[in-house]
Amino acid sequence: MHSPNLQPRVYVIEDWQNGGFGIYIHWPFCLSKCPYCDFNSHVRGNVDHTEWKHALLSELRHAAQLTPDRSVQSIFFGGGTPSLMAADTVGSIIDEVAKLWRIGNDVEITLEANPTSVEADKFLDFNKAGVNRISMGIQALNDIDLKRLGRLHTTKEALQAFDIAKNNFSRVSFDLIYARQDQTIENWQHELTQALDLTVDHLSLYQLTIEENTRFGALYKRGNLGGLPNDNLAADLYLATDEICANAGLDCYEISNYARKGSESKHNLVYWRYGDYIGIGPGAHGRITLDGVKHATITPMSPETWLKQVQTNGFAFKTSETISKSDQGEEYLMMSLRLAEGTDLERFQTLTGHTLDADKIKMLTDEGLVSCENNRLVASPSGRMVLNAVLKELLI
Ligand SMILES: C[S@@+](CC[C@H](N)C(=O)[O-])C[C@H]1O[C@@H](n2cnc3c(N)ncnc32)[C@H](O)[C@@H]1O
Ligand code: SF4
């Protein structure tokens, strides 16, 4: 485990301030549906960009009424495929956020982009609109696997889009999916080294997950998705990923995220440090503390239902669900144990009024799955690989 980039201890009035405050904007449309993806993304022939811009702005204004006097540390345009948004919509949203809340000079504004040439041509406009970080879904650096993953770009196109992104933004990250069909350790080592040679300072590296309600899920169920790694190979791929990235100076600061010191995604840290965040757009969920009580916010998944509700009522998300102190403790533990900096046990105790079972921590420590120092519980690389089992042990 690399030395964690520890979150400085700050004395706060409400628990969410330990994690900060961010805004997530969901653009739910894609040009096609990738066979592995179960995100809330939809293919639509016609999207009325003006209607969507007004609806997103209206939902933002509603959120701001509930959370006045806050500083925004990050805005994240995710999807779906937000690089399909009109740059004017992105710019209007950023301007509106700046009117509704305080934003610092160091605010991180990320947009997820698919690396086709059409989208790369819009990078300059996104930059002018205020975006200062791009996260690209490259997924693989060979054309056979890109095709198998149902992607619309080639490796050449992805590399060109990456160059354009680097010319327009000081911060560029990209995603790769590994543990793919027929992928050997050697193939992955080669591909990951190629990725790191691109002088990148942040990578999201996800193991391919077969989700039930996807095309891959259906193929897998019928036994028609061959060549997936067994558990041993998947574990070896994960450990190799850690090692190769560490040798290149990118620490694993979260289970699937690797960065040079100081280049971690501020937005995702808000989630993992269990801060407050507003979710704007279909299916986007949020966590906001109102009058000292943490709420989960939910909103309709269907783009059409969401749009109609905003047009009719001025907003779509609901804050009716409060989260009990013990559920907050559970959520904080689930999120923070993903991080190399781990869980602040004092914060856990303040939040829930109780401590974690010392015998269980000792047992997990003896098994090499966690370590505990200075009142921080940290999952080891092998602990991260079986995090759900570790959490189950700690929480029951
Ligand atoms: C939902 S996508 C949005 C970004 C953009 N539309 C794209 O595809 O690049 C965010 C990331 O999730 C990852 N992802 C989605 N489904 C996955 C799965 N089943 N297994 C592993 N990674 C997945 C991909 O790496 C993708 O870049
Ligand atoms: S992976 Fe990205 S492009 Fe593919 S369907 Fe999901 S959100 Fe859309």
Side-chain angles (χ1 to χ4, degrees):
M1 193 84 174
H2 321 289
S3 60
N5 195 8
L6 275 186
Q7 178 192 13
R9 175 173 285 285
V10 262
Y11 289 92
V12 297
I13 301 160
E14 294 190 322
D15 180 76
W16 68 266
Q17 289 171 288
N18 287 292
F21 179 60
I23 296 177
Y24 174 80
I25 315 282
H26 190 76
W27 186 257
F29 304 114
C30 292
L31 290 180
S32 66
K33 185 81 188 173
C34 303
Y36 53 86
C37 178
D38 80 340
F39 280 71
N40 190 30
S41 59
H42 306 265
V43 180
R44 297 285 186 267
N46 252 330
V47 175
D48 185 327
H49 286 262
T50 309
E51 271 191 336
W52 274 85
K53 176 171 86 175
H54 289 307
L56 291 166
L57 291 173
S58 176
E59 187 81 321
L60 264 183
R61 287 192 278 267
H62 176 66
Q65 280 171 6
L66 299 172
T67 54
D69 303 324
R70 292 200 185 200
S71 288
V72 175
Q73 66 194 60
S74 108
I75 307 171
F76 192 101
F77 293 88
T81 306
S83 46
L84 297 175
M85 290 173 84
D88 163 61
T89 305
V90 172
S92 302
I93 289 172
I94 296 170
D95 292 348
E96 193 69 17
V97 170
K99 275 189 222 151
L100 295 168
W101 291 274
R102 287 189 301 278
I103 55 173
N105 288 338
D106 59 349
V107 65
E108 176 185 278
I109 307 179
T110 307
L111 183 131
E112 280 184 338
N114 284 24
T116 70
S117 52
V118 179
E119 285 151 298
D121 284 348
K122 292 163 75 180
F123 284 174
L124 178 59
D125 291 336
F126 287 136
N127 179 287
K128 285 188 186 153
V131 173
N132 57 26
R133 181 173 180 271
I134 284 277
S135 170
M136 297 175 67
I138 290 185
Q139 319 305 5
L141 288 171
N142 78 73
D143 289 344
I144 295 171
D145 284 6
L146 282 173
K147 227 180 193 140
R148 273 177 151 178
L149 292 171
R151 301 298 289 186
L152 299 178
H153 62 270
T154 59
T155 308
K156 190 171 164 211
E157 225 178 343
L159 295 175
Q160 282 167 349
F162 178 77
D163 275 346
I164 299 173
K166 289 284 275 185
N167 288 336
N168 285 291
F169 299 93
S170 55
R171 299 183 65 196
V172 180
S173 171
F174 62 87
D175 300 356
L176 293 175
I177 294 179
Y178 68 104
R180 307 190 287 254
Q181 290 172 273
D182 303 318
Q183 192 175 35
T184 62
I185 290 252
E186 291 74 28
N187 295 151
W188 175 232
Q189 280 168 334
H190 176 72
E191 204 169 321
L192 183 54
T193 306
Q194 221 183 319
L196 289 161
D197 284 347
L198 294 170
T199 60
V200 64
D201 57 15
H202 187 285
L203 285 174
S204 299
L205 305 171
Y206 301 110
Q207 292 216 356
L208 176 63
T209 313
I210 305 304
E211 306 285 357
E212 211 175 308
N213 296 317
T214 61
R215 217 153 1 114
F216 272 6
L219 286 172
Y220 184 74
K221 209 166 159 192
R222 292 201 299 268
N224 289 338
L225 196 73
L228 290 171
N230 60 24
D231 287 351
N232 284 343
L233 178 55
D236 288 347
L237 284 164
Y238 186 71
L239 295 176
T241 304
D242 245 24
E243 192 182 321
I244 295 168
C245 287
N247 288 339
L250 271 72
D251 287 347
C252 177
Y253 72 100
E254 189 270 347
I255 289 186
S256 307
N257 284 276
Y258 300 78
R260 275 183 215 293
K261 287 258 174 305
S263 296
E264 297 86 357
S265 154
K266 286 188 196 175
H267 188 80
N268 288 336
L269 282 174
V270 172
Y271 300 150
W272 297 319
R273 287 178 173 163
Y274 203 44
D276 267 7
Y277 53 95
I278 283 172
I280 302 284
H285 61 268
R287 291 283 180 276
I288 50 177
T289 306
L290 306 172
D291 297 326
V293 180
K294 192 129 175 155
H295 289 70
T297 71
I298 46 161
T299 190
M301 298 290 276
S302 145
E304 290 73 22
T305 309
W306 181 88
L307 186 64
K308 186 121 203 102
Q309 281 192 14
V310 180
Q311 288 173 337
T312 310
N313 306 323
F315 63 92
F317 77 75
K318 290 195 174 70
T319 51
S320 45
E321 201 183 314
T322 58
I323 312 174
S324 70
K325 288 285 180 192
S326 81
D327 284 351
Q328 284 181 51
E330 195 168 312
E331 289 192 337
Y332 169 53
L333 188 71
M334 283 168 66
M335 286 292 157
S336 56
L337 262 193
R338 301 177 65 93
L339 287 170
E341 71 185 27
T343 305
D344 177 343
L345 294 177
E346 197 180 315
R347 180 176 170 199
F348 180 88
Q349 188 177 1
T350 310
L351 197 53
T352 61
H354 64 84
T355 54
L356 287 171
D357 185 333
D359 290 341
K360 286 187 177 168
I361 293 182
K362 177 160 186 333
M363 185 195 79
L364 292 167
T365 308
D366 291 346
E367 287 175 17
L369 299 175
V370 300
S371 64
C372 193
E373 258 176 59
N374 301 327
N375 228 9
R376 274 195 176 268
L377 185 69
V378 174
S380 66
S382 30
R384 278 190 257 131
M385 285 192 282
V386 290
L387 195 62
N388 285 343
V390 170
L391 287 165
K392 207 166 152 200
E393 196 59 53
L394 289 168
L395 289 166
I396 51 166

